Amino acid sequence: MARKENADSTANPGRLKQIALTYKMTRRVDSKVGLVVAGVGIVVFGVLLALGFLIDHPVFAGILGFVLAFLAMAIVFGRRAERAAFGQMEGQPGAAAAVLENVGRGWTITPAVAMNRNQDVVHRAVGKAGIVLVGEGNPNRLRGLLGAEKKRMARTVADAPVHDIVVGDGEGQVPLKKLRTTLLKLPRVLPGAQVTAVNDRLRALGDLMSNMPVPKGPMPKGMRMPKGGGKMR
């Protein structure tokens, strides 16, 4: 019992600290978050309390109003915090990979399976929907990068459906904040055993880092990457 109480007392300050840090981060982007969240709580509690007086049960309505007000405040704060986090991530290299890493169970994520010299990058997600290639960077340059990656995989996993997504706010692109939802809405067509087989075959192909030649010994001073287009392999 003593150990359990100690664990709880340690966990609670940790959660409170995390909430405080999240609030500070959100407030830097959304200066009105405190007023909005407090306003939602006051309105919900006030409406429930007023109804309680009308039905002659103010105590019961007050307790219910407090609980519902707290729940409404948590929901509003969570959504505004999420929006603020995506706002800070947008345009940053690797933002799509960070979202994919939190997509949930059932998906195998491999960041940066392809990249060019302009830092346009393609990430890969494998699940029951098949293979999803997610590109972030310049849409025009990503077309060639995505096409080359599809051809590379076609020789090994021709039996798995391949989807491609370009992250962005332009026409035909998927906003960063909707990337996870878009991925989860894809139809599930592969059984678990086939997903495992696809992952094994793709793993045998290697990724960008495993296929990149690394010279042995220290790199000579002043050495530069060779010029030229195409993918880094």
Side-chain angles (χ1 to χ4, degrees):
M1 288 294 291
R3 288 181 182 178
K4 186 176 181 180
E5 289 177 1
N6 290 334
D8 291 342
S9 62
T10 304
N12 288 334
R15 291 195 197 99
L16 293 175
K17 186 176 181 180
Q18 186 177 11
I19 292 171
L21 290 173
T22 303
Y23 175 77
K24 289 179 181 179
M25 182 276 295
T26 305
R27 196 169 184 275
R28 285 198 295 267
V29 180
D30 183 1
S31 59
K32 296 181 179 179
V33 61
L35 292 174
V36 172
V37 172
V40 168
I42 292 170
V43 169
V44 173
F45 179 76
V47 169
L48 266 295
L49 187 61
L51 289 174
F53 278 108
L54 287 175
I55 62 175
D56 201 27
H57 288 287
V59 176
F60 174 77
I63 295 172
L64 181 61
F66 178 80
V67 174
L68 292 180
F70 182 80
L71 180 61
M73 290 168 67
I75 292 172
V76 172
F77 175 67
R79 288 181 177 176
R80 293 184 84 96
E82 185 180 39
R83 192 183 310 161
F86 280 123
Q88 288 188 320
M89 289 170 61
E90 283 181 351
Q92 299 295 323
V99 174
L100 290 172
E101 292 288 357
N102 292 284
V103 74
R105 295 179 61 184
W107 290 91
T108 301
I109 309 300
T110 308
V113 293
M115 181 185 294
N116 59 23
R117 302 187 67 83
N118 300 98
Q119 294 189 348
D120 304 305
V121 61
V122 174
H123 312 293
R124 185 177 68 221
V126 181
K128 290 187 176 182
I131 303 168
V132 184
L133 298 176
V134 179
E136 54 179 335
N138 183 285
N140 295 322
R141 292 193 297 259
L142 280 171
R143 288 195 195 101
L145 206 58
L146 287 166
E149 186 62 23
K150 285 181 181 179
K151 288 181 181 178
R152 189 176 80 95
M153 294 189 309
R155 297 188 293 268
T156 307
V157 287
D159 56 337
V162 179
H163 312 271
D164 59 83
I165 295 173
V166 175
V167 175
D169 296 318
E171 185 178 354
Q173 300 173 9
V174 175
L176 184 66
K177 62 184 178 181
K178 294 184 179 180
L179 177 58
R180 183 177 181 274
T181 305
T182 301
L183 208 68
L184 295 177
K185 283 184 177 180
L186 292 173
R188 299 183 177 187
V189 295
L190 298 182
Q194 191 172 353
V195 173
T196 302
V198 169
N199 267 318
D200 290 341
R201 281 178 274 168
L202 288 173
R203 199 173 293 115
L205 277 179
D207 54 26
L208 179 65
M209 297 307 295
S210 62
N211 288 334
M212 185 180 294
V214 179
K216 295 182 179 179
M219 183 176 291
K221 292 182 179 180
M223 180 179 177
R224 296 183 178 181
M225 294 292 288
K227 294 183 179 180
K231 293 194 299 181
M232 295 170 59
R233 288 293 179 200

